[in-house]
Amino acid sequence: MPEILIISGKGGTGKTSLTAAFCHLSGNTVICDLDVDAPDLHMLLQPKKLKTESFVSGNEASVITEKCTNCGTCVSLCRYDAITEVNSAMVVNPFKCEGCKVCVEYCPEEAIAFPDRHCGDWYISDTRFGPLVHAQLFPAQENSGRLVALLKKEAKTLAEEKGTELILSDGPPGIGCPVISALSGADLSVIVTEPTPSGVHDLKRVLELCEHFKIPATVIINKADLNPDHALGIETHCRERGYRVIAKLPHDATITKAMVQGKAVTEYQDCEISTALRTAWKEIVTLAGLQMETACADGSE
């Protein structure tokens, strides 16, 4: 089944709010929140967790106090300054430990354990718009790209089990490892940008990323009326590169009001931006090669 990925070159463009609206407008869908470092789609979808699993990745050093002689070898060898002496005992700072294993290999007393690192949790939940696969990394934990890949795999498995026709994913911001992992296997990326200097700059970077991985892309300009000149520049750049701008959304406080109520703007109120998003979703459905009845769960046409 096809996967539509909603991404942005930077944070704060309104990507998650638009994703929630598309979740409302979509039909037989598995939803996936791939922003594992700072997820927020759940605040609008209000999921009920059905399954919780630990995400284990890498290892973390831990001093075995009863075997340690405080020789200081580990302190001198740790290039990350993760081991310090506290109250006459060697202590590993988990926020600094990179799991390189040097201390484990060179401790003369074999007094350092190296257990698996519990980096976060991932979930399968139920929402009013359909099943949601999502996760949360613990603070300062890494391997977000690997967790993103895990969520994509679980979402595909869930979609096959339930016979759904689409995976709709809210991607992470930026162009780093989590975004690259999110793009893997996607059939269409919908890039949400804004008419600001940073918005234009980061849009160009994420378009280059899509081109590199040969992922079809289309663009939505959010809050386009805040700076018409930049919005026009975005349209011109996209046209020159062969990309369609499928929507120019106005700045509308209704999105904020809907957010406060924990709703997608399209389910909260019929307004200019709701109409524009319905039109944009039809364009997305066409670009993804889906049938229209897949994408109108609320009965709109």
Side-chain angles (χ1 to χ4, degrees), residues 24 29 40 51-52 73-74 79 96 98 107 109 113 127 146 149 175 179 183 190 203 242 275 295-296:
H24 171 236
T29 306
D40 51 14
K51 177 181 178 181
T52 300
T73 302
C74 56
R79 63 180 298 181
K96 289 186 175 182
E98 292 289 331
C107 177
E109 304 298 331
T127 78
R146 181 178 173 186
I175 62 167
V179 180
L183 281 170
V190 180
L203 168 66
T275 300
C296 290

Side-chain angles (χ1 to χ4, degrees), residues 3-69:
E3 178 188 358
I4 297 173
L5 176 67
I6 316 298
I7 56 175
S8 60
K10 61 181 289 295
T13 62
K15 168 181 62 64
T16 297
S17 294
L18 301 194
T19 300
F22 295 146
C23 290
H24 171 236
L25 298 174
S26 63
N28 194 15
T29 306
V30 167
I31 306 162
C32 192
D33 188 353
L34 298 177
D35 187 355
V36 299
D37 291 289
D40 51 14
L41 184 61
H42 63 278
M43 291 189 285
L44 295 177
L45 270 53
Q46 301 160 5
K48 178 182 178 183
K49 293 176 183 175
L50 304 176
K51 177 181 178 181
T52 300
E53 294 286 345
S54 297
F55 174 62
V56 176
S57 183
N59 300 83
E60 178 178 292
S62 175
V63 176
I64 305 172
T65 306
E66 57 270 21
K67 296 176 66 175
C68 179
T69 61

Side-chain angles (χ1 to χ4, degrees), residues 48-128:
K48 178 182 178 183
K49 293 176 183 175
L50 304 176
K51 177 181 178 181
T52 300
E53 294 286 345
S54 297
F55 174 62
V56 176
S57 183
N59 300 83
E60 178 178 292
S62 175
V63 176
I64 305 172
T65 306
E66 57 270 21
K67 296 176 66 175
C68 179
T69 61
N70 292 353
C71 68
T73 302
C74 56
V75 175
S76 63
L77 290 176
C78 183
R79 63 180 298 181
Y80 303 106
D81 297 323
I83 307 177
T84 55
E85 186 174 352
V86 179
N87 297 327
S88 300
M90 296 302 176
V91 177
V92 178
N93 184 338
F95 294 111
K96 289 186 175 182
C97 179
E98 292 289 331
C100 67
K101 206 178 180 181
V102 167
C103 60
V104 178
E105 293 294 332
Y106 288 94
C107 177
E109 304 298 331
E110 298 184 352
I112 300 179
F114 202 52
D116 292 338
R117 186 195 298 260
H118 181 198
C119 297
D121 296 311
W122 62 272
Y123 318 96
I124 294 179
S125 301
D126 188 29
T127 78
R128 63 191 183 280

Side-chain angles (χ1 to χ4, degrees), residues 131-147:
L132 170 67
V133 182
H134 55 127
Q136 174 69 74
L137 278 177
F138 297 148
Q141 297 299 329
E142 298 181 353
N143 289 313
S144 54
R146 181 178 173 186
L147 180 53

